Amino acid sequence: MLAVRCNAFSLTWKKIIRLSRFATMTEDPQWTAFLQWALPQLRMRWSGFRRVRTQVCKRVRKRLQLLQLAGLNDYRDYLQQHPEEWRVLDTLC
């Protein structure tokens, strides 16, 4: 297994690829648009939210997988059809 060593920790190539894909995902304008749409409905402000965006995107992505939804547009539709899901989203944020 190939690994990269950097200051007392190592990353496998698999982890590096996964992290780079995740960084790209959180910088995606679609994620920003989704969060800017959802946060006011959760009584949260975008300005104070940007620091934890990566963590929240990771949690929401896991939720999408659990619900077997293809993407954020599907999740937005799901939220509109299932109002109780807003409580779940609130816990993810």
Side-chain angles (χ1 to χ4, degrees):
M1 178 180 290
L2 295 173
V4 175
R5 296 210 179 270
C6 180
N7 296 337
F9 71 90
S10 65
L11 295 172
T12 64
W13 287 111
K14 186 177 180 179
K15 287 181 184 176
I16 291 170
I17 291 168
R18 189 177 73 223
L19 290 171
S20 67
R21 285 182 189 158
F22 183 70
T24 303
M25 177 193 72
T26 59
E27 294 169 5
D28 185 344
Q30 187 178 23
W31 278 93
T32 301
F34 172 78
L35 292 172
Q36 288 178 339
W37 169 78
L39 289 174
Q41 298 182 55
L42 296 170
R43 293 187 173 93
M44 295 182 186
R45 293 179 305 136
W46 172 251
S47 61
F49 191 80
R50 291 185 293 175
R51 291 186 187 134
V52 296
R53 178 178 62 185
T54 302
Q55 295 168 357
V56 172
C57 289
K58 185 176 181 179
R59 293 179 198 139
V60 172
R61 184 178 59 139
K62 287 181 182 180
R63 182 69 180 163
L64 291 175
Q65 291 173 349
L66 181 68
L67 295 172
Q68 299 179 347
L69 297 173
L72 291 172
N73 289 333
D74 292 337
Y75 190 51
R76 188 183 295 214
D77 294 340
Y78 187 84
L79 284 165
Q80 292 172 347
Q81 294 171 4
H82 301 90
E84 68 279 1
E85 182 67 18
W86 283 101
R87 282 180 277 196
V88 176
L89 181 59
D90 191 33
T91 63
L92 300 176
C93 292

